[in-house]
Amino acid sequence: MTWLPPATCYLFLLLLLGQAPSSRPQSSGSKKLRLVGPANRPEEGRLEVLHQGQWGTVCDDDFALQEATVACRQLGFESALTWAHSAKYGQGEGPIWLDNVRCLGTEETLDQCGSNGWGVSDCRHSEDVGVVCHPQRHRGYHSEKVSNALGPQGRRLEEVRLKPILASAKRHSPVTEGAVEVRYEGHWRQVCDQGWTMNNSRVVCGMLGFPSQVPVNSHYYRKVWSLKMKDPKSRLNSLTKKNSFWIHRVDCLGTEPHLAKCQVQVAPGRGKLRPACPGGMHAVVSCVAGPHFHPQKPKSRRKESRTEELKVRLRSGAQVGEGRVEVLRNRQWGTVCDHRWNLISASVVCRQLGFGSAREALFGAQLGQGLGPIHLSEVRCRGYERTLSDCLALEGSQNGCQHANDAAVRCNIPDMGFQKQVRLAGGRNPEEGVVEVQVEVNGVSRWGTVCSDHWGLMEAMVTCRQLGLGYANFAIKDTWYWQGTPEAKEVVMSGVRCSGTELALQQCQRHGPVHCSHGPGRFSAGVACMSTAPDLVMNAQLVQETAYLEDRPLSMLYCAHEENCLSKSADHMDWPYGHRRLLRFSSQIYNLGRADFRPKAGRHSWIWHQCHRHYHSIEVFTHYDLLTLNGSKVAEGHKASFCLEDTNCPTGVQRRYACANFGEQGVSVGCWDTYRHDIDCQWVDITDVGPGDYIFQVVVNPTNDVAESDFSNNMLRCRCKYDGQRVWLHNCHTGDSYRPNAELSLEQEQRLRNNLI
């Protein structure tokens, strides 16, 4: 008797029954899917799959809800609502890659389901299947990128740039006006101006980082073009006769995030040996830069634009033009839910803020979670709206959104050339090293180092942003162990002071003549950058609910006195007789960022405090202050970080840091550290304060020793009423929850805290 392997027996049995085995398309990885349908509804459309570098459709034979569910999950949606047969979303082009698709419903990708095999089909495009997915994204889906939405021609149509023609345009940075050039299949081509519209200009300007466009003086450019065409020595004269020099025609709606999403005809109709741009010239575009990228002189206009901008803002982004989207409603900032969030709505936000169109719409709090209300959900923009408030949307509380669903955006920004003016040298990896900058010295451009006097985290943050490397992890003042570039040893920049919002070090305040007390060499400034950062935020509600007064005997305050947790007047009391009046409260500090919050100092340098018998990993972790209504301090306290740990974490997140047994200290992403009201130094000593109305203020990480993605939410403030016997805290909020303009510089914040003028 001949033995057959199980697989052969199964195949033999199927053949006896007259059935062909269901084949699974063989692939070296899951195939990309896309939906081709209405631009404002990314969750529905004709289903297409990418195979062998070409997009094709799926036949509707045997297609049902379980197949649609697998496709929707692969596309990043939670589930499928229904499917559509008979090319409801229009007939596709190219091959019909899949037919008779049969899924169990548990597959992760569509190519894991059974089918006739790749390209094996007896269907026509009139049978192309479509799907309608549930608009909510699942947690594993991160973003909608422009690059993912482009077809084969879109990947060949790579970049767009403006070639300046006028002398004034060549001197302008960034370049805002010039001839449109498109990089197609690795070669730059110019676009014929026949049929060119302002909608086309809007798409081009958006890709280049500009929010809007203006008409150009076409008559003048036509004269310049005609003069060049008459010049027999002009190279342009011969190039324009070649069809490979041109993009024949572009037709945009104006809402597209990329020129490749428009109708682009590279050459005239097939089989016709016609010139690509007969009697025409290159299309010329003039864009308008946003306020971040050019100074606005008229003060009145600046105030108007600033007021308009402040109805929406971006938070916690590493680069300019990226961050979590927050909107101002009822004088309070809140976030936007990612349900139905897409590139079109994200582009409205970007243009409103003075950037170009969106290059990425992010879901699932990819740039950190916000606090406070979720104002909007299911935002539906058409693309022409001036502000996000002009778009249709639901209230954020209507569909159960959480801050884990906070939407974010990455916008196109103009190329200012700043990234080419700074570099890192000598580090162990590309993210660290001595900072070397390019500046103009006596009219000559040269490279050199930065003096480390006053070099701090804000300056390092600007450097990492300028390099496109994210956030600063450390600002390094002593770089003797890093060998910089030999020809860039001289100090060319000193006294650098940045507020943290600058696009480049060259925009920060600095000395005119270079003056460095240390001279060149080992004390040159350095940085270590990182792609993600923590973000600490206080729980305002808990502070408000737990505040109370205690008259504590001096006999119980020896350790607190030793650690400077009492007012100066306590030094002159008759110890241990008497008491101090303490405003006590609990605090809960969340890490809403994308990296763990760790002490700057390693455990070898933690300080042991014998009295309380614990280690301090950060000497001053929080400042507690009581201020008058005009900002003068009347009482102060501080809280050393005696122990940073994960007191609690959300369901599914493991606690990583604990203080027991000299353990590692820190606060994990999503977790929180709680300081109870009944532990030492968790108070403000108000013994010397009279009755009245005050401002109670808490500042976390007050000296910015540890890098965070957003320092603006480190301050908590409450209104405080004290009648001499009782205390009330009300209206507690983080520093940027209500103020329209919360972007005070570091220097301004320090002056307010210290009551300096």
Side-chain angles (χ1 to χ4, degrees):
M1 180 178 177
T2 305
W3 179 84
L4 293 174
T8 308
C9 292
Y10 174 70
L11 179 61
F12 182 67
L13 181 60
L14 286 173
L15 292 173
L16 281 175
L17 295 172
Q19 297 179 7
S22 174
S23 67
R24 281 184 169 79
Q26 297 300 310
S27 64
S28 56
S30 62
K31 300 293 182 181
K32 284 187 178 180
L33 302 183
R34 71 178 183 186
L35 297 180
V36 180
N40 61 342
R41 294 183 181 176
E43 70 276 8
E44 63 179 274
R46 182 177 63 250
L47 181 62
E48 294 191 358
V49 60
L50 182 66
H51 177 62
Q52 295 179 346
Q54 187 175 6
W55 288 99
T57 61
V58 179
C59 183
D60 60 11
D61 292 351
D62 291 337
F63 204 92
L65 189 60
Q66 55 196 20
E67 286 76 28
T69 299
V70 173
C72 288
R73 283 204 302 261
Q74 185 177 348
L75 285 162
F77 299 98
E78 281 198 343
S79 60
L81 296 178
T82 186
W83 77 102
H85 57 82
S86 303
K88 176 184 175 181
Y89 295 98
Q91 297 186 21
E93 296 178 352
I96 299 174
W97 281 127
L98 295 175
D99 188 10
N100 295 111
V101 180
R102 294 179 293 281
C103 303
L104 298 174
T106 58
E107 295 86 350
E108 293 183 359
T109 60
L110 199 66
D111 55 358
Q112 293 177 355
C113 301
S115 75
N116 292 348
W118 290 110
V120 181
S121 173
D122 58 357
C123 296
R124 297 181 178 181
H125 280 297
S126 58
E127 300 173 81
D128 288 341
V129 75
V131 297
V132 180
C133 304
H134 192 287
Q136 185 168 341
R137 306 281 187 176
H138 63 61
R139 282 194 170 188
Y141 191 70
H142 296 162
S143 69
E144 180 185 352
K145 294 182 181 179
V146 169
S147 57
N148 291 346
L150 301 182
Q153 178 173 278
R155 286 190 298 279
R156 296 199 299 268
L157 200 157
E158 303 156 14
E159 301 175 64
V160 172
R161 71 183 182 189
L162 296 183
K163 185 178 181 180
I165 298 171
L166 305 180
S168 59
K170 293 177 182 178
R171 292 192 300 267
H172 198 275
S173 180
V175 175
T176 57
E177 185 169 313
V180 179
E181 293 192 333
V182 175
R183 188 177 175 88
Y184 183 78
E185 293 186 333
H187 300 284
W188 288 100
R189 297 183 176 210
Q190 296 200 352
V191 182
C192 182
D193 72 335
Q194 294 179 349
W196 187 265
T197 65
M198 290 299 287
N199 283 341
N200 297 353
S201 298
R202 188 173 192 265
V203 174
V204 169
C205 290
M207 289 178 64
L208 295 172
F210 303 114
S212 58
Q213 68 292 331
V214 291
V216 296
N217 188 343
S218 56
H219 296 293
Y220 179 80
Y221 279 105
R222 172 63 70 174
K223 288 181 181 179
V224 175
W225 176 267
S226 299
L227 287 174
K228 289 183 179 180
M229 290 297 101
K230 291 176 182 178
D231 184 0
K233 297 180 180 179
S234 172
R235 185 167 172 262
L236 189 64
N237 198 352
S238 60
L239 286 174
T240 54
K241 296 175 182 177
K242 301 177 181 179
N243 278 9
S244 59
F245 178 76
W246 294 105
I247 296 291
H248 175 59
R249 189 178 181 87
V250 176
D251 187 14
C252 301
L253 298 173
T255 60
E256 296 86 349
H258 194 283
L259 201 65
K261 294 291 285 181
C262 305
Q263 294 182 14
V264 179
Q265 191 174 354
V266 178
R270 293 179 181 176
K272 298 178 181 179
L273 298 176
R274 296 187 303 160
C277 193
M281 58 175 274
H282 47 208
V284 180
V285 165
S286 181
C287 304
V288 179
H292 298 275
F293 306 101
H294 74 89
Q296 288 193 0
K297 295 179 182 178
K299 291 184 179 179
S300 60
R301 283 184 62 192
R302 185 188 309 163
K303 286 183 179 179
E304 287 173 11
S305 63
R306 191 67 182 158
T307 303
E308 185 69 32
E309 279 180 31
L310 284 167
K311 293 178 182 177
V312 62
R313 69 183 183 186
L314 302 181
R315 279 289 180 264
S316 299
Q319 306 299 323
V320 173
E322 72 173 51
R324 180 179 61 251
V325 179
E326 297 187 355
V327 293
L328 185 65
R329 300 186 71 183
N330 302 321
R331 298 185 62 247
Q332 187 173 8
W333 288 102
T335 60
V336 176
C337 182
D338 62 8
H339 294 183
R340 290 183 181 267
W341 185 246
N342 59 19
L343 283 168
I344 292 178
S345 300
S347 292
V348 171
V349 171
C350 291
R351 292 182 188 273
Q352 183 180 353
L353 289 170
F355 306 114
S357 53
R359 59 185 174 89
E360 189 172 4
L362 297 103
F363 318 114
Q366 286 300 299
L367 295 185
Q369 297 185 26
L371 276 181
I374 300 173
H375 282 320
L376 300 177
S377 177
E378 297 195 23
V379 178
R380 296 181 296 281
C381 300
R382 293 174 298 168
Y384 291 104
E385 295 86 352
R386 289 183 64 251
T387 67
L388 193 65
S389 58
D390 296 333
C391 302
L392 296 174
L394 299 178
E395 292 290 333
S397 58
Q398 289 184 4
N399 57 359
C401 276
Q402 305 294 323
H403 281 298
N405 302 113
D406 284 344
V409 67
R410 288 193 173 103
C411 306
N412 289 315
I413 63 171
D415 181 10
M416 303 288 290
F418 289 142
Q419 197 165 346
K420 300 174 184 176
Q421 298 173 9
V422 65
R423 66 190 182 196
L424 301 182
R428 296 165 296 179
N429 56 62
E431 288 77 38
E432 67 178 20
V434 179
V435 178
E436 295 180 352
V437 294
Q438 187 182 41
V439 296
E440 204 170 275
V441 181
N442 298 324
V444 179
S445 182
R446 60 186 303 177
W447 286 90
T449 59
V450 180
C451 181
S452 62
D453 291 348
H454 310 299
W455 185 255
L457 197 61
M458 286 301 174
E459 291 72 35
M461 281 284 193
V462 173
T463 303
C464 292
R465 179 185 301 127
Q466 186 177 354
L467 288 162
L469 295 177
Y471 309 94
N473 195 8
F474 298 109
I476 302 163
K477 292 190 173 186
D478 193 346
T479 55
W480 59 269
Y481 44 84
W482 285 339
Q483 294 298 316
T485 308
E487 61 270 18
K489 291 290 187 183
E490 185 180 347
V491 176
V492 296
M493 191 180 285
S494 65
V496 181
R497 299 296 292 269
C498 302
S499 67
T501 59
E502 296 87 353
L503 301 176
L505 277 177
Q506 287 82 353
Q507 294 182 336
C508 299
Q509 296 179 5
R510 63 180 193 269
H511 290 158
V514 174
H515 172 72
C516 187
S517 60
H518 304 299
R522 62 174 293 178
F523 293 106
S524 298
V527 296
C529 304
M530 57 183 178
S531 58
T532 57
D535 183 19
L536 296 186
V537 184
M538 289 275 291
N539 182 341
Q541 188 66 26
L542 183 67
V543 173
Q544 182 169 307
E545 291 174 352
T546 57
Y548 66 97
L549 292 179
E550 179 191 9
D551 289 338
R552 194 164 182 81
L554 290 178
S555 59
M556 304 176 68
L557 291 172
Y558 278 103
C559 284
H561 189 221
E562 180 184 307
E563 295 189 9
N564 299 316
C565 295
L566 302 176
S567 298
K568 296 295 182 184
S569 62
D571 297 342
H572 309 294
M573 295 190 69
D574 184 17
W575 289 73
Y577 307 106
H579 66 271
R580 304 295 294 181
R581 176 156 290 181
L582 308 176
L583 169 54
R584 308 198 72 147
F585 57 94
S586 295
S587 64
Q588 200 172 66
I589 301 170
Y590 289 81
N591 180 6
L592 300 181
R594 294 184 295 148
D596 294 351
F597 185 92
R598 299 295 310 278
K600 182 179 178 181
R603 66 164 69 198
H604 64 279
S605 59
W606 294 352
I607 300 173
W608 173 257
H609 282 250
Q610 180 63 30
C611 192
H612 281 132
R613 300 192 65 79
H614 57 237
Y615 283 95
H616 285 190
S617 58
I618 299 177
E619 193 56 34
V620 179
F621 181 53
T622 50
H623 275 161
Y624 304 146
D625 299 308
L626 197 64
L627 314 173
T628 62
L629 298 184
N630 67 359
S632 301
K633 282 186 184 179
V634 293
E636 62 181 304
H638 80 274
K639 181 65 189 173
S641 172
F642 70 89
C643 173
L644 277 174
E645 68 175 2
D646 296 330
T647 308
N648 292 101
C649 293
T651 304
V653 178
Q654 185 70 32
R655 293 175 57 193
R656 298 180 55 198
Y657 302 106
C659 300
N661 303 319
F662 193 41
E664 288 290 341
Q665 294 194 22
V667 184
S668 300
V669 174
C671 301
W672 55 93
D673 189 6
T674 302
Y675 293 87
R676 285 173 49 88
H677 59 86
D678 53 359
I679 63 176
D680 261 3
C681 299
Q682 189 61 31
W683 61 60
V684 176
D685 184 355
I686 62 169
T687 306
D688 308 318
V689 177
D693 291 324
Y694 301 96
I695 296 173
F696 175 71
Q697 176 178 283
V698 179
V699 184
V700 184
N701 191 17
T703 56
N704 298 341
D705 278 338
V706 180
E708 295 186 52
S709 61
D710 187 1
F711 289 110
S712 65
N713 55 17
N714 283 22
M715 180 187 295
L716 176 141
R717 283 188 169 187
C718 306
R719 294 297 298 270
C720 175
K721 184 174 181 61
Y722 174 49
D723 67 357
Q725 299 297 325
R726 294 169 296 177
V727 69
W728 295 269
L729 295 186
H730 60 97
N731 194 25
C732 292
H733 60 275
T734 54
D736 66 342
S737 295
Y738 293 95
R739 291 182 294 173
N741 186 4
E743 297 185 15
L744 293 176
S745 69
L746 175 66
E747 186 177 0
Q748 287 173 307
E749 291 285 12
Q750 289 175 337
R751 287 178 184 274
L752 281 174
R753 293 176 201 160
N754 297 309
N755 195 28
L756 297 174
I757 297 178

